[in-house]
Amino acid sequence: MINAKSHWKKSITYFFIGLFSIYLLSDFIAFQIFKYNAVKRIDGYERLNHGRYDKISQDIKTVVSKLSLTCDSKDVKIMQDYANTSNNIRIIQLIADHKLCSIYGNKPAITSYYSKQNAIYNNKLSIYNYSNNRLIFNYKINSHSTISFVSESIDPFYISRMINDNNISIFVECNNQKLKISNNKPLLSSLYSFSHKMDNGYTLVINLSKEGLKHIKNDYIFVFIALSFCCLLICLSFALRFDKNKSIQQLIKQGLNKGEFIPYYQPIIDSKTNQLSGCEVLVRWKRCNGEIFPPYLFIKNVENSHLIYPMTLSILQQVIEDLSHLPVLSDNFCASINITPKQLENYKFMDKCLSAINSQQRDKPNIALEVTERIPFSDIAKAKAVMTYLSENGVKLKLDDAGTGFGGFSYLQTLPFDAIKIDKMFIDTIGTNDMKRNILNAIISFGHETKLEMIAEGVETKQQVEYLMKKDVHLIQGYFYAKPMPFSEFYRYATQFM
């Protein structure tokens, strides 16, 4: 429980680290929110005003082609008609040979009080920032004539509605020239800045002030609350999951100390002679109240912790003790105990196992070790060295779940196995059209070619036994002959083969 408390403290620490990280990233998050909303507004504006500034350029050329450049009533009428029908232009003014006319007749329509310091120049066209978020387009027709168009308000691109004008600067860039189109006077820092290319070829550059960022954070405080809540949930989930696993591991540890993990034995029968050839040892958790748990309820927790080592030794010692009470069986009889690839790569641990096996004081060990193919070896060379050491000391080695895992036939070609166990997955294909039956036949063929002993697992029907006998596979393990049983039952079962 001390470890559990420690882990809860660690989870709380991670939570506060998460909160501090959110605080440190708050400016970045707020700016990304602003940028996302700004781009959405710009895109919306472009959808409503698609090609607007390209059309203004076309409008300018169209109007100029119709004007006589004399500022007579016809010129005024042409400008009025265009201003009234255009979605892009509101004011038009012409200066030709020192004569001035506009949509208001011979009166000026455009004040001369707009800034001419900053502009975008494109051949004969120059664009300036005009009042009320509008742009003015001056087109030089010839050396004596200039026509001016004032666009509709761009507001600017609806972005200023998101935030106070004093906290945002908006520029239009074209041909490496920049034109400020927002109303605020100060030039804001580009610390929080982004660019967005528009359909018409112009690029918007938008700068946000530190104060503006604060407004964004205040407006979107719910986002930061949601992030903090998610951080809390993640840390809580992590702590609870650990606490659950830790509780299970504590129970397993207590069970080991109390001797609650016991071996069950499933017989292996030679179908050719109907004799007991051996058995597989399967662990069961028998609680103090008599309740028995199958391995799938706890084995993953055991394999993922150091508890797999004391459990394997405990089961091995119990099996050795149990086998010492059995009547003399055939010399080929052996009980197979499951181990993991990680254990098999551990020389010191396997040496302890070998010492326990040799304590039987038999000429030939009657304990075999099964290693599953479902878990990969991390160090093949080390495993091979340990397996060779065990083989030299008379311990048989079997590959469990053959054909279902990581190594395939490569393990059988590299490592010194004595036998393979054909998984129930393939046995179940007998009598069906399942494509995996081809794999079953391939495994059997490989076993015969390499002269490996073959044991069929999970055999449940007479049809399966007969099929395997035809394939010269006679060692059968499964419910067709017997289910896993405690030693007291296995003892009675074994004595009938004496």
Side-chain angles (χ1 to χ4, degrees), residues 190-446:
S190 60
L191 179 62
Y192 302 103
S193 175
F194 74 94
S195 300
H196 181 74
K197 194 168 184 65
M198 299 176 67
D199 291 341
N200 56 25
Y202 295 109
T203 297
L204 282 182
V205 180
I206 301 172
N207 298 338
L208 184 66
S209 71
K210 188 77 174 176
E211 190 64 31
L213 213 56
K214 288 182 183 177
H215 287 299
I216 295 292
K217 284 194 274 190
N218 290 335
D219 289 344
Y220 288 89
I221 187 67
F222 65 89
V223 172
F224 297 97
I225 292 173
L227 287 172
S228 302
F229 186 67
C230 288
C231 181
L232 174 63
L233 287 179
I234 291 169
C235 292
L236 189 62
S237 173
F238 179 69
L240 288 173
R241 185 175 179 184
F242 176 86
D243 206 32
K244 179 183 175 183
N245 290 337
K246 203 67 181 175
S247 298
I248 293 173
Q249 288 181 13
Q250 289 288 344
L251 289 172
I252 292 171
K253 192 172 183 180
Q254 291 171 9
L256 279 170
N257 293 333
K258 294 178 181 179
E260 293 180 350
F261 292 92
I262 60 173
Y264 266 46
Y265 301 83
Q266 186 170 29
I268 298 172
I269 303 297
D270 187 331
S271 62
K272 193 173 183 179
T273 62
N274 282 320
Q275 290 299 306
L276 180 64
S277 173
C279 63
E280 180 180 356
V281 178
L282 303 163
V283 65
R284 295 291 187 269
W285 187 358
K286 187 176 182 180
R287 300 300 307 278
C288 55
N289 60 3
E291 190 175 7
I292 297 177
F293 294 148
Y296 71 85
L297 291 176
F298 59 84
I299 201 66
K300 286 295 180 185
N301 281 280
V302 174
E303 288 179 346
N304 293 330
S305 70
H306 68 282
L307 297 174
I308 187 66
Y309 294 97
M311 180 175 288
T312 301
L313 280 175
S314 172
I315 294 297
L316 176 60
Q317 288 161 357
Q318 290 180 69
V319 170
I320 291 170
E321 174 64 22
D322 288 345
L323 293 183
S324 68
H325 298 292
L326 273 180
V328 177
L329 298 170
S330 69
D331 289 340
N332 293 326
F333 177 90
C334 70
S336 301
I337 294 177
N338 289 282
I339 58 172
T340 66
K342 188 176 181 181
Q343 288 177 295
L344 195 56
E345 293 168 2
N346 188 322
Y347 181 86
K348 288 184 178 179
F349 176 74
M350 295 315 302
D351 196 44
K352 286 183 181 179
C353 293
L354 184 60
S355 297
I357 293 170
N358 289 336
S359 68
Q360 294 178 288
Q361 296 180 347
R362 292 172 57 95
D363 293 335
K364 183 179 180 182
N366 60 359
I367 302 290
L369 299 177
E370 284 187 22
V371 59
T372 180
E373 191 189 333
R374 295 181 190 273
I375 303 173
F377 285 94
S378 59
D379 191 331
I380 294 289
K382 187 180 289 186
K384 185 176 181 180
V386 175
M387 290 172 71
T388 301
Y389 170 66
L390 293 170
S391 295
E392 289 171 350
N393 283 273
V395 178
K396 290 182 70 174
L397 299 164
K398 301 179 181 181
L399 180 64
D400 198 12
D401 310 313
T404 64
F406 291 86
F409 293 135
S410 64
Y411 282 170
L412 295 170
Q413 294 170 329
T414 307
L415 301 173
F417 285 105
D418 301 294
I420 57 175
K421 300 193 74 174
I422 305 171
D423 192 80
K424 185 179 187 300
M425 176 200 306
F426 303 114
I427 301 301
D428 287 341
T429 65
I430 295 172
T432 71
N433 293 321
D434 195 315
M435 291 295 292
K436 288 194 289 292
R437 194 169 67 174
N438 295 328
I439 302 176
L440 169 64
N441 294 333
I443 293 172
I444 293 172
S445 297
F446 181 84

Side-chain angles (χ1 to χ4, degrees), residues 3 16 20 23 50 76 81 152 168 270 328 335 343 376 406 452:
N3 288 336
F16 283 110
F20 186 63
Y23 170 75
H50 182 69
V76 172
D81 289 344
E152 273 278 25
I168 189 170
D270 187 331
V328 177
Q343 288 177 295
F406 291 86
L452 288 169

Side-chain angles (χ1 to χ4, degrees), residues 444-484:
I444 293 172
S445 297
F446 181 84
H448 287 314
E449 288 175 13
T450 54
K451 295 181 172 54
L452 288 169
E453 182 179 84
M454 285 180 283
I455 303 162
E457 288 187 292
V459 178
E460 296 178 347
T461 67
K462 186 176 180 181
Q463 181 187 20
Q464 292 172 342
V465 174
E466 290 174 347
Y467 181 89
L468 291 165
M469 286 182 71
K470 288 178 183 178
K471 295 289 184 179
D472 205 20
V473 177
H474 303 289
L475 298 180
I476 307 297
Q477 176 185 341
Y479 276 40
F480 179 76
Y481 284 111
K483 64 180 182 180

